[in-house]
Amino acid sequence: MEFLSQLTGCFSTPAAGNPTVAMVEAAYQHHNLNYRYINCEVAQPDLADAVLGARAMGWRGFNLSIPHKVAVIDQLDEIAKSAGIIGAVNCVRSDKGRLVGENTDGVGFVDSLDGVTQIKGARLVILGAGGAARAIAVEMALAGADEVTIVNRSVKKGEALATLIRDQTTARADFIAWTDSLRVPDGTDILVNATSIGFFPDAGVPAVDFDSLDPGTVVADVIVNPRDTPFLSRARKKGCRTLDGHGMLVNQAVRGIAHWTGVSVDGAVMRAKLAEIFG
Ligand code: NDP
């Protein structure tokens, strides 16, 4: 019997409430895993010391929230391929003391499409070009999406992401400057809101011409609070299948926990915990 729990957690700043703690701990308890997941508020200048602390205490791994996702790269021994392309690490795992940086955000999104629609050959349109959009664009392209269209307000960031996809993956990529209500391109298989528009208390809806939406398009949102955003309900009214941001959040945690413990946990347990928190 091992009395000492294995340590995992999240380095975040500022601590605006971290729903992943309750979610991951619920999975540990459900599967009887002798692990703990601790949220630590780490100021930007202290990140290197925090990583050293995690090494010293033998942490099995940890997540990082903004702004640590990029800065942590310098503190690690190795970066996984897709995290290197994305240029951000949201999950670190200890491989016999060597700290390896992974990005589980985008692959969490990919996993949430499992059984919903095919990724291979798909045409994907992403609203946004920030961290979430980058992770989704790269992982979807690596998973076989044929074409990725980035739609973003800032032209520089949007073009840079489209260029990254063209240069680093086999997918085709283009960019649309988001100045007006977006006419969804014909043949779009998957449309994702990867902006922060709609995150509580903002009740905004991304500027999309919903009349241009084909009912065959799968529409997804990365927003976790509220779970069911006005963007998704508008898409459902057009007959589209929708995916909320809890799927991506849960699946990135399933991936992270597998990295730390070797156990593939039941995502439904974490989804239920999120529903308890967010309603
Ligand atoms: P970033 O700040 O990196 O990017 C924000 C993006 O939203 C940018 O593309 C920005 O455009 C765009 N944006 C913001 N406001 C507007 C607006 N009013 N009009 C048009 N575009 C706008 O944030 P992240 O990518 O890290 O996070 C985005 C969202 O994804 C957050 O709500 C976050 O909580 C969520 N998220 C969810 C995850 C999940 O597991 N479900 C995982 C990770 C993130 P511009 O470049 O022009 O400024």
Side-chain angles (χ1 to χ4, degrees):
M1 171 77 184
E2 231 179 330
F3 290 101
L4 200 59
S5 298
Q6 302 291 318
L7 293 179
T8 64
C10 184
F11 295 165
S12 65
T13 174
N18 191 341
T20 56
V21 175
M23 180 180 86
V24 174
E25 290 253 309
Y28 287 166
Q29 278 163 27
H30 179 80
H31 291 276
N32 232 350
L33 293 167
N34 190 17
Y35 282 68
R36 297 304 312 269
Y37 186 93
I38 301 157
N39 189 52
C40 302
E41 191 174 339
V42 178
Q44 271 178 274
D46 297 329
L47 180 64
D49 287 346
V51 173
L52 275 178
R55 280 186 197 271
M57 288 183 278
W59 281 39
R60 299 298 291 267
F62 48 91
N63 288 126
L64 299 124
S65 63
I66 289 168
H68 300 320
K69 290 183 182 188
V70 177
V72 77
I73 289 174
D74 291 341
Q75 313 302 325
L76 305 178
D77 302 308
E78 191 183 326
I79 306 296
K81 182 185 169 203
S82 69
I85 298 174
I86 295 164
V89 163
N90 76 315
C91 176
V92 171
R93 64 182 165 87
S94 173
D95 180 7
K96 299 188 189 83
R98 278 177 58 76
L99 296 186
V100 182
E102 302 273 354
N103 194 306
T104 56
D105 279 335
V107 84
F109 179 82
V110 167
D111 290 347
S112 70
L113 289 169
D114 194 25
V116 176
T117 190
Q118 195 171 318
I119 297 171
K120 279 215 179 335
R123 178 168 193 190
L124 170 72
V125 175
I126 303 180
L127 309 176
R134 239 177 127 78
I136 291 170
V138 168
E139 295 291 0
M140 287 292 287
L142 293 177
D146 180 50
E147 191 172 353
V148 180
T149 299
I150 306 298
V151 181
N152 200 50
R153 182 179 59 177
S154 147
V155 171
K156 208 172 150 197
K157 256 164 72 180
E159 278 178 343
L161 180 51
T163 303
L164 179 83
I165 298 303
R166 273 195 300 274
D167 290 351
Q168 301 284 339
T169 77
T170 56
R172 291 181 290 154
D174 60 355
F175 167 70
I176 298 175
W178 201 3
T179 48
D180 227 332
S181 183
L182 175 78
R183 201 193 166 281
V184 180
D186 292 341
T188 299
D189 297 302
I190 304 159
L191 171 69
V192 192
N193 172 37
T195 73
S196 39
I197 301 169
F199 195 92
F200 181 84
D202 169 29
V205 184
V208 168
D209 172 7
F210 286 89
D211 286 334
S212 67
L213 249 185
D214 185 284
T217 302
V218 171
V219 177
D221 206 327
V222 298
I223 298 296
V224 295
N225 183 22
R227 182 183 64 78
D228 195 25
T229 59
F231 176 66
L232 294 180
S233 62
R234 295 276 298 271
R236 268 199 310 276
K237 281 194 187 117
K238 298 303 296 182
C240 299
R241 288 183 75 178
T242 59
L243 287 178
D244 62 51
H246 286 195
M248 176 176 171
L249 187 61
V250 164
N251 288 326
Q252 62 79 28
V254 170
R255 292 272 185 161
I257 293 170
H259 282 313
W260 304 327
T261 69
V263 175
S264 178
V265 297
D266 181 2
V269 172
M270 289 192 277
R271 206 171 162 91
K273 182 53 78 175
L274 285 183
E276 232 177 72
I277 296 168
F278 292 116

